[in-house]
Amino acid sequence: MRRVRPGAASRGGGTSRAAGEERTLTSVAAGDTYEAKEPKDLPRLWHVTLSVSGDEAPLNDVRRSLEQLAHDHPFLLTSRYAGDHAEIRYWEEARDLHDAAAVALRLWGEHRQTAKLPPWEIVGLEVIDRETYHQRIAEGYGPQPATPVGVHPF
């Protein structure tokens, strides 16, 4: 398998030139600078807080389920729980807020059986970018830093 730089044309296809047509080269005058813009589709880090609640469940079962969820979803930072609700906080890498929120909204349902999570519903979701998260912490408001990491009762 031949590796090709991203954006470089590969041999044997993928170019828009006709056979035998020369490629036009563009020069840059001395002293000119090229300002590369950051592509908008690069993944970013998003801080996610997912809140769930429902009928009362045994605390030991809730804790065990959240510990299994943390094992299945390795970026899980911290979970807080009670018998009828829980809050899960973690970092998600996604292209934009919509993608991060979509993943967060699927998290509970997709892991419900494998982690034996209670049949609770999602009642809250907050997704903020990394810069906003750190700004809130620096200003003394917003979610407290997710420490200690792990699964803890409220």
Side-chain angles (χ1 to χ4, degrees), residues 12-13 15-24:
T15 64
S16 59
R17 294 187 311 266
E21 185 178 332
E22 296 270 338
R23 182 170 39 173
T24 305

Side-chain angles (χ1 to χ4, degrees), residues 25-34:
L25 298 176
T26 305
S27 64
V28 178
D32 284 355
T33 59
Y34 173 74

Side-chain angles (χ1 to χ4, degrees), residues 1 51 59 65 74 80 103 129 153:
M1 176 165 96
S51 300
L59 284 177
S65 297
R80 298 186 308 166
V103 170
D129 67 353

Side-chain angles (χ1 to χ4, degrees), residues 119-150:
W120 295 343
E121 68 176 329
I122 296 171
V123 295
L125 174 65
E126 180 186 52
V127 181
I128 57 175
D129 67 353
R130 185 177 179 188
E131 183 178 317
T132 302
Y133 175 83
H134 289 294
Q135 180 182 0
R136 283 184 179 182
I137 299 304
E139 292 175 356
Y141 69 96
Q144 292 302 307
T147 53
V149 173

Side-chain angles (χ1 to χ4, degrees), residues 62-134:
V62 174
R63 180 180 181 88
R64 195 172 315 122
S65 297
L66 290 173
E67 287 172 345
Q68 182 62 48
L69 178 62
H71 182 276
D72 294 347
H73 195 283
F75 296 107
L76 193 74
L77 288 177
T78 188
S79 296
R80 298 186 308 166
Y81 65 94
D84 63 348
H85 65 281
E87 179 185 88
I88 300 163
R89 294 170 57 191
Y90 65 97
W91 288 99
E92 183 67 56
E93 186 177 41
R95 182 179 45 119
D96 57 24
L97 181 135
H98 296 269
D99 289 350
V103 170
L105 290 171
R106 290 192 315 265
L107 178 73
W108 191 260
E110 287 181 355
H111 290 276
R112 182 171 283 155
Q113 288 185 341
T114 58
K116 296 183 174 73
L117 296 167
W120 295 343
E121 68 176 329
I122 296 171
V123 295
L125 174 65
E126 180 186 52
V127 181
I128 57 175
D129 67 353
R130 185 177 179 188
E131 183 178 317
T132 302
Y133 175 83
H134 289 294

Side-chain angles (χ1 to χ4, degrees), residues 33-50:
T33 59
Y34 173 74
E35 293 183 28
K37 292 185 180 175
E38 197 69 27
K40 290 187 179 194
D41 60 350
L42 284 180
R44 296 167 44 192
L45 282 177
W46 301 89
H47 186 265
V48 176
T49 304
L50 183 70

